[in-house]
Amino acid sequence: AQSVTQLGSHVSVSEGALVLLRCNYSSSVPPYLFWYVQYPNQGLQLLLKYTSAATLVKGINGFEAEFKKSETSFHLTKPSAHMSDAAEYFCAVSDRPGGSYIPTFGRGTSLIVHP
Amino acid sequence: DAGVTQSPTHLIKTRGQQVTLRCSPISGHKSVSWYQQVLGQGPQFIFQYYEKEERGRGNFPDRFSARQFPNYSSELNVNALLLGDSALYLCASRSVASTDTQYFGPGTRLTVL
């Protein structure tokens, strides 16, 4: 069984400040980990993924995440927030039973960026 | 290339009715998955299809069914609608070459009154 916990349903930052969105996972096998972003009234867009290669993963729009096995974490960061980063962010974990790659999503964190 | 497309974008139904949602994957993608996203929560997996065969099913009642056509498009059907079925229904496709990466459509917003 696999699960994801996203700490904080809402995170508020000022424009230019560091963004940190937290994700902890549970998986019985080495996980595949993902961060998605969802803008209002849109589908999900993949930001980045970890698939057992480098533990520090760089994604689109300046985001990156670090896989820490000892902490079962995959936190998302961005050095400087932009107003356009305001959106809902989802962390997801999947294993590979039979090659299906079916992800389990967290409840999401809403990022609010203040001018 | 066009992304994943879904139709309709919005839908309003009443309890007990039936609904059909449609999805066209990215060209060349043979796998389609369906997700339900209730307001304030993350997407929940409903079905996965590959080459017209069901490859996975989430914890949803039998009122939910789906199929995939020879052109790899897909339909999700929900019978006997309940108020709790109100949600954003997302379709995602993936290619054989990159099976760990899904591409999501914009979703269909279903409201059940």
Side-chain angles (χ1 to χ4, degrees):
Chain A
Q2 54 196 23
S3 65
V4 169
T5 302
Q6 291 186 239
L7 299 176
S9 59
H10 294 82
V11 169
S12 181
V13 300
S14 298
E15 192 173 18
L18 172 71
V19 175
L20 172 61
L21 305 182
R22 300 178 186 274
C23 172
N24 288 88
Y25 70 91
S26 172
S27 176
S28 57
V29 298
Y32 287 57
L33 294 159
F34 308 83
W35 276 100
Y36 288 87
V37 61
Q38 185 177 35
Y39 297 100
N41 300 314
Q42 294 187 26
L44 277 68
Q45 180 184 8
L46 181 66
L47 278 177
L48 50 79
K49 63 181 180 181
Y50 167 77
T51 57
S52 75
T55 57
L56 182 62
V57 182
K58 295 187 182 298
I60 62 172
N61 301 339
F63 285 94
E64 64 181 35
E66 186 172 9
F67 171 67
K68 293 187 176 180
K69 183 178 178 180
S70 61
E71 299 177 8
T72 61
S73 70
F74 191 57
H75 302 331
L76 182 70
T77 60
K78 182 174 180 178
S80 177
H82 294 168
M83 296 296 291
S84 60
D85 294 328
E88 192 81 15
Y89 291 79
F90 294 94
C91 181
V93 61
S94 76
D95 52 18
R96 194 174 181 271
S100 58
Y101 289 103
I102 296 172
T104 298
F105 287 86
R107 295 176 65 91
T109 297
S110 178
L111 177 64
I112 302 163
V113 183
H114 298 286
Chain B
D1 283 343
V4 177
T5 60
Q6 294 185 243
S7 63
T9 55
H10 295 84
L11 205 51
I12 299 175
K13 293 286 188 177
T14 57
R15 282 176 295 176
Q17 286 189 311
Q18 176 264 342
V19 68
T20 298
L21 311 181
R22 295 175 176 83
C23 170
S24 293
I26 292 172
S27 177
H29 287 193
K30 299 181 179 181
S31 177
V32 169
S33 297
W34 287 95
Y35 295 83
Q36 180 195 64
Q37 186 180 14
V38 173
L39 194 62
Q41 296 186 21
Q44 296 287 318
F45 170 73
I46 310 175
F47 285 110
Q48 182 185 81
Y49 276 78
Y50 176 71
E51 289 280 14
K52 303 180 289 296
E53 292 188 2
E54 182 181 306
R55 291 299 183 93
R57 183 184 183 111
N59 188 25
F60 280 81
D62 291 343
R63 299 184 296 108
F64 288 77
S65 64
R67 56 179 175 170
Q68 188 177 32
F69 298 98
N71 66 353
Y72 304 110
S73 67
S74 178
E75 286 183 351
L76 175 70
N77 295 282
V78 187
N79 294 321
L81 285 167
L82 303 174
L83 295 180
D85 295 331
S86 295
L88 180 68
Y89 288 85
L90 295 165
C91 174
S93 73
R94 65 179 63 170
S95 72
V96 173
S98 182
T99 54
D100 59 8
T101 301
Q102 295 187 102
Y103 298 87
F104 284 82
T108 293
R109 173 72 64 188
L110 173 64
T111 302
V112 182
L113 302 176

